[in-house]
Amino acid sequence: MADDPGIRLRDIAAAVGITERSAHKILSELVEEGYVLRERHGRRNRYKVKAELPLRHPLVQEREVGDLLEVLLRPERPGRDGRRAKSGVAAQAMVS
C-alpha cells in the first residue's frame, strides 16, 4: 500500500495469504487509528500510509512506521550464501 496507493483489497489479501474480509478488517482498524488515510477516487480507494507515526508495539514505539517501511520496501539483496535474501527478514528482526 505504501508502494502502490491504488492497490485493491483483494490484491492485498492475496499477497499476504488472508481473506479479503480479514484484509478489510485490518485496513479499517489502521484507518480508524490514523495510520492509513483512505480517499475515494470514483469507484476505487487510494491509500496513504502515515509514515511519521510511531509503531504501536511498546517495545518499538520510539521507531516510526516509515522506519519499518524503509526496510520492507528495500529491494532484495544477496544473502551470505549467495542466494537472494528478502528484506522481510530484517524487518522481522526490527520488531522482534
Side-chain angles (χ1 to χ4, degrees):
M1 184 177 318
D3 202 30
D4 181 4
I7 192 168
R8 297 176 302 176
L9 267 178
R10 78 174 56 136
D11 297 330
I12 294 170
V16 287
I18 60 175
T19 65
E20 191 171 339
R21 183 177 180 159
S22 294
H24 182 271
K25 182 177 186 283
I26 293 166
L27 182 56
S28 292
E29 289 173 5
L30 291 170
V31 168
E32 189 175 300
E33 293 178 19
Y35 282 87
V36 174
L37 299 175
R38 180 176 14 212
E39 187 177 299
R40 194 81 169 152
H41 283 247
R43 295 176 54 188
R44 302 278 303 268
N45 288 320
R46 292 189 61 80
Y47 305 97
K48 180 179 184 331
V49 178
K50 303 280 292 195
E52 70 278 5
L53 294 179
L55 292 171
R56 298 186 313 176
H57 195 281
L59 294 177
V60 289
Q61 283 180 331
E62 73 281 354
R63 304 305 297 257
E64 293 180 349
V65 171
D67 297 329
L68 181 59
L69 289 175
E70 186 179 312
V71 173
L72 293 173
L73 296 176
R74 203 177 288 159
E76 292 182 10
R77 63 203 180 288
R80 289 185 194 149
D81 60 1
R83 295 185 300 173
R84 304 292 282 175
K86 296 206 182 263
S87 58
V89 173
Q92 181 63 35
M94 183 179 194
V95 291
S96 295

